[in-house]
Every structure is written in structure tokens, then in C-alpha cells.
Amino acid sequence: MAPSSHRRSRPEGRTRRVPVVTVVAVAAVALVVSLVVAFRPDGGADAGAAGGARTVEPAAGAGVSGSPTATGAGVSPSPKPKPSTTSTASPSATAGEAATPAATPTGASGSSSGRSAAPAARTASGAAPQAGRIAPGTAYRGVATAYDVGNGGGACSYGPTSDVMTAAMNTADYETSKACGAYVLVRAGSGASITVRITNECPAPCEAGQLDLSQQAFAKLAPLSAGRIPITWSLLSPATSDTVSIRYKTGSSQYWCGIQAIGHRNPLARLEVRTSAGWTSLARTEYNYFLSEQGTGCGGALRLTDIYGERLTVEGIAVRADVVQSTRVQFARH
């Protein structure tokens, strides 16, 4: 019986080994499948959770600020900041602007205690970086009075003239003679208008925005008996066939000189002399001369800059005191 039982035992042993081979085969197939899934191009559905190569981006329109912060296995953006409930104040006036305006520009909104309209006017007129209180492209409100100009002389030191269509500018807008030579269009409430050239200063009680016109000029706007009328005025860049002239002040020499420009179409912003170190800007006086206290550049090349930033270079002007010397240059019209 023993051999018979041993013969049965062999088939039983083979039967028990078949499940082991099957398990091994199944395990192998499972391993291959898992490897294929793991190495798919999209990295699998759990790639983000596994430390992921994908970048987490906020949804369209989300106001995410800051860098993402890892939270657990995923990544989430930092919270959107809450909008401020505090109202934002209006921008202050441009640095370097006068604290008070020359006058209230027509059409300006808000208070007239700042020059907020000036930057906009400069932009509209092509930008005038050298402009002072009187900005191109801006209409100012004020009043007009009248005075007897006599021989036409005034604070601008141009000397006697037969031109009676002139005016004196109030001290604030005269701005240390920066208004000298400016052409101004003046309009009255009646609709009448005139063009005058600034040759003088009108001290207090003249107020900002006020023009003291020659009697002849005032009479074209209103009867002299009116005494004082409301006006608007603005800067002009007129047509002219004249060229700029240069005059050295009485007493000028190679050791000290005062230099004046006459007949410029646009207000003059700066006068420079050429030295071995380059161009040197001279200080401007209230009587409309630029001074070289140590004689630097006296008799040498000059460079003139108008309020629009245009530069003219003048050479060959010798130091000849109190003599008007013509040039062949003029600023462009604006």
C-alpha cells in the first residue's frame, strides 16, 4: 500500500505547486502594470499629491499675492489681501511748483490754492520743463488796471521804446524777471482782446494774476474811466521777423559782467556762458540781467534756453558795455 500512497502523493504535490506559480505570475503582471502607470506622461492622477512636477496656478481673476505656500501634500496660494477702505488723497502739486498760483486757470476744477492745472497745461502744449509760474497753454484770470508808461522803460531794463502795447506784471508772476519779454494775449469780458509785451513789474498792491497795462492798451479793452476790469490772459509765442540781441551792462569787462537778451520770441529760462569746465548758468537779477560776478565767460560763447527747452548758441559777442548787438538766431514758434 505504501507504493500506492506514494504514487498519489506525487500528483497531490504538483497540484499544490500550481497556485504558487499562478500567484507569482499575477504579481509580476501587477508589477509591470504599476510601472507602466507610474511612468505615463501625465505622471498619474496623484502626481500633485506626490510632490508633483505640475505648477499650481490661481484661477482666472483670482487676486493672489505673494508666493505659493505648501500645505501638506498640495500647494495653495496665499490668501487674497482685502481692499483698503481708506480713501486715497489726491496727488500733491509737482515738486518745485509755487505754493500759490499766478491766478486761477480757466476751466480748472477744485481749489485755486495749488498749481494742479499747470502740469496738465504743459502736457497739452507739448511740455515746457523750463516754465515757471506762467505756463504755456493755460489761461489765467485776473484784473487789468492802467498806468502811464512814460518813455516805455521799466523794471526789465529794456530802456525807452516807442512800443506802447506793453504791460507790467504783478510781482508774483514777474518771478525775478522771468516774465520779462513775454508776449501775453489779454481778453476782457466784452470779448475785446489785445497782445502786450511784459516790460515792467507791478509791485503791491498788484495781486497775483493782475496786469497793469499801458493806458493805450487798456483803452482797447475798456474806457480808462473803468479803472479796473476782470480779464483772462495767456502766454503767446508770436510770429516775428526779429532776432535775439545781446547787451552787456554798463561797467561790464572781462572781470565782471551783466548780460541781457532782448527780442526773444519766448520767455527766457536760462542764460549760460561757456568755460573750460563746460556750460555755466548765470544768476538772474530782478532787473533782467544775468551776472557773472567773477568775469567767468564774459565775452565768450553764450547759450540761451527758452521755457520750452530750446537752446540757442551765440558766439562772437564781444564785451561792449551798453551796446545792443544783434544775433542771427531766434527761438521757434509754439
Side-chain angles (χ1 to χ4, degrees), residues 152-169:
C156 292
S157 303
Y158 290 137
T161 177
S162 59
D163 179 14
V164 294
M165 299 303 289
T166 59
M169 181 66 75

Side-chain angles (χ1 to χ4, degrees), residues 184-213:
V184 174
L185 175 65
V186 185
R187 295 184 184 276
S190 63
S193 64
I194 55 168
T195 297
V196 295
R197 185 169 63 101
I198 304 301
T199 60
N200 206 351
E201 177 184 8
C202 183
C206 275
E207 58 199 31
Q210 182 172 348
L211 293 176
D212 204 19
L213 305 175

Side-chain angles (χ1 to χ4, degrees), residues 204-314:
C206 275
E207 58 199 31
Q210 182 172 348
L211 293 176
D212 204 19
L213 305 175
S214 68
Q215 292 179 345
Q216 295 87 338
F218 187 97
K220 291 184 178 296
L221 299 178
L224 289 176
S225 58
R228 181 184 179 97
I229 60 172
I231 58 169
T232 59
W233 56 271
S234 56
L235 188 66
L236 283 182
S237 179
T240 179
S241 58
D242 294 339
T243 59
V244 179
S245 295
I246 299 296
R247 177 164 56 192
Y248 278 93
K249 195 178 187 313
T250 301
S252 293
S253 69
Q254 60 179 319
Y255 305 107
W256 177 95
C257 67
I259 309 172
Q260 181 186 56
I262 305 171
H264 39 86
R265 187 199 309 266
N266 307 317
L268 197 63
R270 186 167 59 251
L271 188 150
E272 300 165 281
V273 294
R274 187 161 58 198
T275 68
S276 57
W279 292 103
T280 300
S281 184
L282 300 185
R284 191 171 199 162
T285 67
E286 293 184 355
Y287 51 89
N288 196 33
Y289 273 89
F290 294 82
L291 298 186
S292 177
E293 299 283 3
Q294 307 302 320
T296 302
C298 294
L302 308 176
R303 187 165 72 179
L304 313 177
T305 305
D306 71 2
I307 65 169
Y308 295 94
E310 182 182 358
R311 294 172 177 171
L312 302 177
T313 299
V314 180

